Amino acid sequence: MSVAEPRRIVLFRHAKADWPEVPDHERPLAERGRKDAAVAGRKLADTGIPFDLALCSTATRTRETWKLAVQELPHRPKTVYEERLYEASPGELIAVLNETPDDAQNALLIGHNPGVQGLADILAGRSEADAKDGATREFHPAAFAVLSFTGSWKSLEPGAATLLDYWDPSE
């Protein structure tokens, strides 16, 4: 794999969660979330991106989202469940992505808002002030953004990527 070839990263927000009397980390998907996760998986398959790696938060709702979505993909990528993705800021998410091995050409990150939306904005070169002013769309549950960048994963930084596509189950 050449670092000169474009890499793709998909930032995927977990599907709609339920609100039972459990700690936030343990919240499961709602019925609508289970349906949207499977639809999102089909839409991910439609992108044609051969994912090498999936980084998934350890929260119940992200694990359930991934379990339903990955069933729709033609190839199951290596999956790493990463505690640091739970409640992570965009900067913390970049730090995790910077650790991705360069033999992974395309990666998927399944996480939470506001970190996932903030990361999409920042990687695509939008400032936090622009995002607060409504310059970008809200990342609804089960939405995902496809971004592309060139270079090693260690070189991934604010403004380094281009937004290629965005999908939202509510649209």
Side-chain angles (χ1 to χ4, degrees):
M1 247 2 79
S2 166
V3 293
E5 293 177 46
R7 296 181 188 279
R8 284 166 295 184
I9 179 164
V10 172
L11 303 175
F12 183 15
R13 183 180 176 192
H14 66 78
K16 179 77 174 157
D18 203 354
W19 289 92
E21 293 290 326
V22 297
D24 184 69
H25 191 272
E26 305 309 316
R27 288 178 43 221
L29 289 181
E31 182 61 33
R32 187 182 112 209
R34 287 189 286 279
K35 291 175 186 170
D36 287 349
V39 172
R42 288 190 288 280
K43 294 297 184 179
L44 286 168
D46 289 348
T47 68
I49 298 170
F51 295 106
D52 302 303
L53 178 66
L55 299 169
C56 185
S57 164
T58 56
T60 299
R61 58 194 178 273
T62 51
R63 289 183 288 119
E64 289 180 353
T65 297
W66 180 233
K67 181 180 178 182
L68 293 164
V70 74
Q71 293 175 23
E72 304 297 330
L73 298 179
H75 163 74
R76 183 182 187 99
K78 175 183 176 184
T79 300
V80 175
Y81 294 95
E82 177 57 65
E83 290 179 14
R84 294 178 294 167
L85 300 182
Y86 178 69
E87 295 188 337
S89 69
E92 292 166 328
L93 294 172
I94 288 174
V96 171
L97 288 167
N98 287 157
E99 297 172 8
T100 301
D102 280 330
D103 62 352
Q105 191 69 21
N106 302 304
L108 178 72
L109 183 147
I110 307 99
H112 310 266
N113 256 7
V116 169
Q117 179 178 345
L119 180 58
D121 289 339
I122 289 168
L123 289 178
R126 296 182 186 98
S127 71
E128 288 185 45
D130 288 342
K132 287 179 184 171
D133 290 339
T136 58
R137 293 185 278 190
E138 181 183 348
F139 247 76
H140 291 110
F144 64 82
V146 180
L147 297 106
S148 177
F149 74 100
T150 304
S152 71
W153 288 100
K154 288 179 181 74
S155 71
L156 184 63
E157 62 184 18
T162 302
L163 180 65
L164 300 177
D165 196 9
Y166 174 81
W167 180 81
D168 186 325
S170 68
E171 292 181 351

